[in-house]
Amino acid sequence: MVWERQQEQGPRRHEDRSRGRAVKMVRRSQRQKLQKFTGLNWNKEQGQVKRSCPSCGPELGGEEKKGRGNPISVQLFPPELVEHIISFLPVRDVVALGQTCHYFHEVCDAEGVWRRICRKLSPRLREQGSGVRPWKRAAILNYTKGLYFQAFGGRRRCLSKSVAPLLAHGYRRFLPTKDHIFILDYAGTLFFLKNALVSSTLGQIQWKRACRYVVLCRGAKDFASDPRCDTVYRKYLYVLATREQLEVVGTTSSRACDCVEVYLQSSGQRVFKMTFHHSMSFKQIVLVGQETQRALLLLTEEGKIYSLVVNETQLDQPRSYTVQLALRKVSRCLPHLRVACMASNQSSTLYITDEGGVYFEVHTPGVYRDLFGTLQAFDPLDQQMPLALSLPAKILFCALGYNHLGLVDEFGRIFMQGNNRYGQLGTGDKMDRGEPTQVYYLQHPIALWCGLNHSLVLSQSLDFSKELLGCGCGAGGRLPGWPKGSASFVKLHVKVPLCACSLCSTRECLYMLSSHDIEQHPAYRDLPASKVVGTPEPNPGSGVLQDPGGTAWACKEYLSQIYSCSTLQDRMEKMKEIVGWMPLLAAQKDFFWEALDMLQKAAGGVGQGPPTPES
């Protein structure tokens, strides 16, 4: 029996040895193929893998250089294969890989790579859009899109992200209403983000903001609601859209016509629609006035402004009536002007022309007095008469609050005007300004927003990080980190997304929209040296450099403000504000603010040791 078992085990051992040799041969051949096509060399003595660079190949020793020829380079691979491999990387890694060398820069910038990435990010996107690089633009738009919000009240005061609609092609505009949020993408689709009750991870039911979405309508160009800062008044949503209309009843031929559709913000139900003639094409809509006399201002592609008046209190009644569309007075009195964009409030309207000029309409005497400091030129019988603002350069965009406004010119300078009771102009004091006044320590903003009695600026530092600055009234937590408010722009305690491009603040929440469009480059120009504040100028008589009204004057003003404070704590608070005024880097401002906090606590007897990370 033992001999028979040994005879049976002999052939089995022979088969196992043959099988092991075959496996080793297969593994050796696979390793050789891998080294040949990927440039990976295994060093048995040192147990290391050497990777060849794309252009030069692997680093070889002296004996290896003599015995081998030129290695295989990545450049010899088919471009389609390299693009296919790179398309599996995240967008951030693709951009980083394109900055390593010239070869990878060309490969990572190819439209084939971005077409595959875009199909993965937005599988339902059928068309690539427009522009010089349509697929790359579409991929980056969908990769960077996001809506972030931070509630002013409650226990959790951190930045949260809303639900991201899968059908959205980037984010172009957003508007919060009383109960929900509306977002318009680059494909003309308007989304309806709803607040709802959801279950948390602990099994509790909680009220979550912007957690569900539906498509409200397609073919939208622009939308607007009640222009007041309080979202309680935003009952209806006015949507400017394009619809196909039949030319003759009973036929199949149709043509595109612009229309305004009115929706209930609470349910998304359409309650009213007005259609215009096919020869009129509009691009922007804003609202002004009270509910019973709501004026709709429509901007055409040619730069003309038309208006019509509706009564919002009768929109929910099932009846039809005709409204009259008339040319606005700014287009009738100044027919040579071509308006580029509009901004409105309940009692005023601002127009920016294509040449950078600014014209104003003010409809109430109280707002006129706050904005201009006088009622000398106000005519209550002719409230639509446009008033021109005197500005030193071309204006690019603006922000309009209830009784104050902000303007940004082509050099990136910020000008504020109007009521300054709470310090919402950011000039360092609480004196009203009847004409545009420059805020010298702020430049090149990304976005500007003016509320009821505070202002916000979204800016970018030299290291491309974003920060949010604010001034004015800080009640209700509307200036996070500065509950007492500030008469100058200070850095708020808000984590700003890397690709944030616009913002909005309501009574309950702060919203920031994230989206990056590669077709929109910075439009700011370099300010001439003769116009830079604080630039030393030579004295014509002696040739000595002077600084009239510049940095030296500002430093003296800062010292006088510190001297005027009575207590040490007040001087510390004033110094914190002055640090926010100075044109310093974000890291430098954080350093000075942290150091001042340590000195202030030490002077008050609160903790003599170093600050903890929680503080």
Side-chain angles (χ1 to χ4, degrees):
M1 294 295 292
V2 175
W3 181 76
E4 290 179 357
R5 290 179 181 177
Q6 290 179 355
Q7 283 185 342
E8 291 178 358
Q9 291 177 357
R12 291 180 181 176
R13 292 178 181 177
H14 182 70
E15 291 177 0
D16 294 341
R17 292 176 182 175
S18 301
R19 191 177 303 165
R21 292 171 185 166
V23 170
K24 290 181 180 180
M25 293 177 63
V26 171
R27 290 179 178 176
R28 188 182 299 111
S29 62
Q30 291 178 352
R31 190 183 305 113
Q32 291 176 356
K33 291 181 180 179
L34 183 63
Q35 292 177 358
K36 179 179 180 181
F37 291 103
T38 62
L40 295 175
N41 301 324
W42 178 261
N43 192 340
K44 294 183 179 180
E45 297 179 358
Q46 299 178 0
Q48 296 178 352
V49 176
K50 294 184 178 180
R51 183 179 297 274
S52 61
C53 72
S55 57
C56 304
E59 296 180 359
L60 301 177
E63 298 179 357
E64 293 177 344
K65 289 182 180 179
K66 296 179 181 179
R68 292 190 180 183
N70 295 328
I72 300 298
S73 174
V74 178
Q75 296 181 1
L76 300 179
F77 287 178
E80 295 80 7
L81 178 60
V82 180
E83 293 178 1
H84 181 71
I85 295 174
I86 293 178
S87 64
F88 287 94
L89 296 176
V91 176
R92 185 186 295 271
D93 295 340
V94 173
V95 176
L97 182 62
Q99 298 175 352
T100 56
C101 64
H102 179 71
Y103 171 75
F104 279 124
H105 175 72
E106 293 182 350
V107 174
C108 295
D109 202 42
E111 281 291 281
V113 174
W114 294 105
R115 182 178 66 252
R116 295 184 179 93
I117 295 176
C118 188
R119 293 285 173 81
K120 294 177 183 178
L121 293 175
S122 300
R124 301 183 182 182
L125 184 64
R126 299 179 181 179
E127 298 180 357
Q128 70 273 23
S130 60
V132 181
R133 309 297 308 280
W135 285 112
K136 184 176 181 180
R137 178 174 181 262
I140 294 180
L141 280 175
N142 288 278
Y143 177 74
T144 59
K145 68 180 180 182
L147 179 63
Y148 301 84
F149 58 90
Q150 178 171 331
F152 295 141
R155 296 181 179 179
R156 296 186 61 186
R157 297 186 181 182
C158 58
L159 201 66
S160 303
K161 187 176 182 180
S162 67
V163 62
L166 297 177
L167 299 175
H169 179 41
Y171 290 163
R172 192 174 71 180
R173 265 202 66 199
F174 78 102
L175 179 68
T177 58
K178 179 182 178 181
D179 302 316
H180 310 291
I181 304 173
F182 296 88
I183 293 182
L184 179 64
D185 70 349
Y186 283 85
T189 306
L190 187 61
F191 293 91
F192 183 24
L193 274 61
K194 298 183 177 181
N195 304 335
L197 291 172
V198 296
S199 59
S200 63
T201 56
L202 301 178
Q204 300 177 354
I205 301 298
Q206 62 180 0
W207 180 258
K208 193 172 182 180
R209 193 183 303 268
C211 61
R212 298 177 182 175
Y213 72 93
V214 294
V215 176
L216 185 66
C217 66
R218 301 182 186 274
K221 293 183 175 181
D222 195 15
F223 63 100
S225 185
D226 192 291
R228 283 173 283 191
C229 299
D230 196 347
T231 56
V232 176
Y233 301 103
R234 297 174 184 175
K235 182 180 179 181
Y236 294 100
L237 187 75
Y238 294 77
V239 181
L240 176 63
T242 301
R243 298 286 182 262
E244 293 290 335
Q245 298 289 336
L246 296 177
E247 294 185 7
V248 181
V249 179
T251 62
T252 58
S253 60
S254 62
R255 62 176 60 184
C257 298
D258 286 354
C259 64
V260 173
E261 299 176 343
V262 185
Y263 295 85
L264 279 172
Q265 70 87 26
S266 57
S267 61
Q269 178 185 0
R270 193 180 74 180
V271 296
F272 189 72
K273 179 181 179 181
M274 44 189 138
T275 306
F276 306 105
H277 194 263
H278 62 84
S279 62
M280 306 188 69
S281 178
F282 302 100
K283 65 178 182 179
Q284 187 183 3
I285 178 175
V286 296
L287 307 182
V288 65
Q290 300 288 340
E291 290 86 346
T292 56
Q293 291 290 325
R294 182 76 73 195
L296 279 67
L297 304 185
L298 299 168
L299 177 61
T300 64
E301 298 289 346
E302 295 78 17
K304 303 298 180 181
I305 298 175
Y306 289 84
S307 65
L308 58 92
V309 180
V310 297
N311 188 355
E312 282 191 357
T313 59
Q314 300 178 357
L315 289 179
D316 54 352
Q317 300 178 5
R319 68 185 186 91
S320 61
Y321 59 92
T322 303
V323 293
Q324 183 179 2
L325 185 67
L327 193 65
R328 198 72 172 178
K329 192 165 186 177
V330 63
S331 297
R332 284 190 284 109
C333 297
L334 304 172
H336 62 283
L337 292 181
R338 183 184 177 92
V339 179
C341 62
M342 304 180 294
S344 69
N345 203 328
Q346 181 183 1
S347 305
S348 57
T349 310
L350 188 144
Y351 308 106
I352 299 179
T353 65
D354 57 350
E355 297 180 355
V358 178
Y359 292 84
F360 232 127
E361 285 184 15
V362 183
H363 305 151
T364 59
V367 176
Y368 191 95
R369 185 187 295 108
D370 289 336
L371 289 173
F372 298 99
T374 180
L375 291 175
Q376 183 176 359
F378 179 74
D379 187 1
L381 302 179
D382 191 6
Q383 299 177 356
Q384 294 186 11
M385 176 59 67
L387 303 173
L389 293 183
S390 177
L391 295 161
K394 178 181 178 181
I395 297 300
L396 298 182
F397 61 93
C398 68
L400 184 59
Y402 174 69
N403 52 13
H404 75 287
L405 62 101
L407 304 169
V408 180
D409 68 353
E410 58 182 339
F411 301 112
R413 298 177 296 181
I414 299 178
F415 296 88
M416 306 294 291
Q417 178 180 346
N419 187 284
N420 198 22
R421 179 180 179 183
Y422 297 93
Q424 60 263 42
L425 300 184
T427 55
D429 52 35
K430 296 184 179 181
M431 297 175 58
D432 297 345
R433 299 297 196 277
E435 57 184 13
T437 303
Q438 182 181 353
V439 182
Y440 290 101
Y441 55 90
L442 286 183
Q443 289 182 350
H444 301 164
I446 299 175
L448 176 65
W449 188 86
C450 294
L452 181 63
N453 47 29
H454 72 292
S455 304
L456 301 176
V457 170
L458 181 63
S459 64
Q460 178 175 286
S461 58
L462 296 178
D463 56 353
F464 298 101
S465 62
K466 304 289 180 63
E467 60 182 10
L468 186 61
L469 307 175
C471 66
C473 180
R478 64 190 67 183
L479 296 181
W482 302 86
K484 297 181 180 180
S486 175
S488 59
F489 282 97
V490 293
K491 183 180 178 181
L492 305 183
H493 295 181
V494 177
K495 185 179 180 181
V496 182
L498 182 62
C499 297
C501 60
S502 63
L503 69 156
C504 176
S505 179
T506 63
R507 180 181 295 180
E508 303 87 8
C509 199
L510 170 68
Y511 298 91
M512 286 182 288
L513 186 70
S514 173
S515 180
H516 180 68
D517 190 357
I518 61 175
E519 299 293 337
Q520 295 180 357
H521 301 286
Y524 294 131
R525 296 171 52 194
D526 293 333
L527 188 65
S530 60
K531 297 183 179 180
V532 177
V533 175
T535 301
E537 299 180 358
N539 190 352
S542 60
V544 180
L545 295 179
Q546 294 182 347
D547 185 20
T551 307
W553 177 87
C555 293
K556 292 181 180 179
E557 181 66 21
Y558 296 157
L559 288 176
S560 64
Q561 294 181 11
I562 294 176
Y563 287 147
S564 62
C565 298
S566 58
T567 62
L568 179 60
Q569 297 295 333
D570 294 340
R571 291 184 178 182
M572 289 289 186
E573 294 294 337
K574 178 58 66 175
M575 188 60 194
K576 291 180 183 179
E577 294 183 7
I578 293 174
V579 170
W581 301 345
M582 292 182 174
L584 303 174
L585 297 178
Q588 294 173 342
K589 291 183 179 180
D590 293 338
F591 167 73
F592 283 117
W593 281 330
E594 186 69 22
L596 290 172
D597 284 335
M598 293 173 58
L599 295 175
Q600 190 173 9
K601 292 178 180 179
V606 182
Q608 301 296 332
T612 61
E614 290 78 5
S615 62

